[in-house]
């Protein structure tokens, strides 16, 4: 029986070069920009959103344990993920800032069972949290989808190479 040798586990703190390597490499990876909200209200910009399963319908995101929204995320039993379009870079910047009321002056913020839902985004999903996993300086949160809506389908807002970009369809 053959075994694959795995390198010993080491923390990024022991080797700060690994964190820099990860950050530099991920600048090459395009990621969709979302805003995650939880009751409170609290919210933050995230590029870690992804689909986990269709049956059951599960979605996930990661949240830094050091953010101003971390306590609200830890207390939450549900969350909403808002998918942003190409015209929402300012909204993404607002929810990425610390020390500000991210919801001030937004216009109507709807509530779905106490959960803040942003009204001016192309699409959203809400989910009940079914699992939380510590993951280094983040926590991975998985939720089962319970509601959602699609209002529009503009080009998506993405994060790439340290800035915002948008999608464009390639012709086959």
């Amino acid at each position: 029986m053959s075994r694959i040798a795995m390198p010993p586990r080491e923390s990024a703190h022991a080797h700060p070069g690994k964190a820099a390597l990860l950050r530099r490499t991920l600048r090459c990876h395009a990621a969709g920009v979302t805003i995650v909200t939880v009751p409170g209200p609290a919210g933050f910009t995230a590029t870690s959103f992804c689909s986990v399963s269709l049956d059951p319908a599960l979605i996930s995101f990661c949240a830094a344990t050091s953010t101003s929204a971390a306590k609200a995320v830890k207390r939450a039993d549900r969350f909403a993920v808002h998918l942003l379009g190409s015209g929402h870079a300012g909204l993404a910047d607002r929810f990425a800032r610390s020390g500000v009321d991210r919801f001030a002056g937004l216009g109507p913020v709807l509530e779905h069972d106490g959960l803040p839902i942003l009204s001016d985004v192309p699409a959203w999903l809400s989910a009940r949290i079914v699992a939380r996993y510590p993951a280094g300086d983040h926590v991975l949160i998985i939720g089962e989808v319970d509601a959602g809506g699609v209002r529009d389908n503009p080009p998506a807002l993405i994060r790439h190479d340290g800035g915002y970009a948008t999608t464009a369809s390639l012709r086959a």
Side-chain angles (χ1 to χ4, degrees), residues 49-72:
F49 167 71
C50 74
S51 168
V52 175
S53 168
L54 290 176
D55 187 18
L58 300 175
I59 57 177
S60 72
F61 69 92
C62 289
T65 55
S66 62
T67 66
S68 59
K71 287 181 183 176

Side-chain angles (χ1 to χ4, degrees), residues 18-81:
K18 289 182 181 181
L21 172 64
L22 181 61
R23 186 180 298 264
R24 186 173 64 245
T25 303
L26 289 181
R27 287 177 66 104
C28 298
H29 175 70
V33 181
T34 66
I35 292 174
V36 175
T37 59
V38 296
F44 59 95
T45 300
T47 56
S48 61
F49 167 71
C50 74
S51 168
V52 175
S53 168
L54 290 176
D55 187 18
L58 300 175
I59 57 177
S60 72
F61 69 92
C62 289
T65 55
S66 62
T67 66
S68 59
K71 287 181 183 176
V73 170
K74 186 176 181 177
R75 287 189 309 266
D77 63 344
R78 60 197 178 283
F79 65 90
V81 175

Side-chain angles (χ1 to χ4, degrees), residues 2 4 7 26 45 49 63 103 106 152 159:
S2 65
I4 298 173
L26 289 181
T45 300
F49 167 71
F103 293 90
L106 275 186
D152 195 7
R159 189 87 177 156

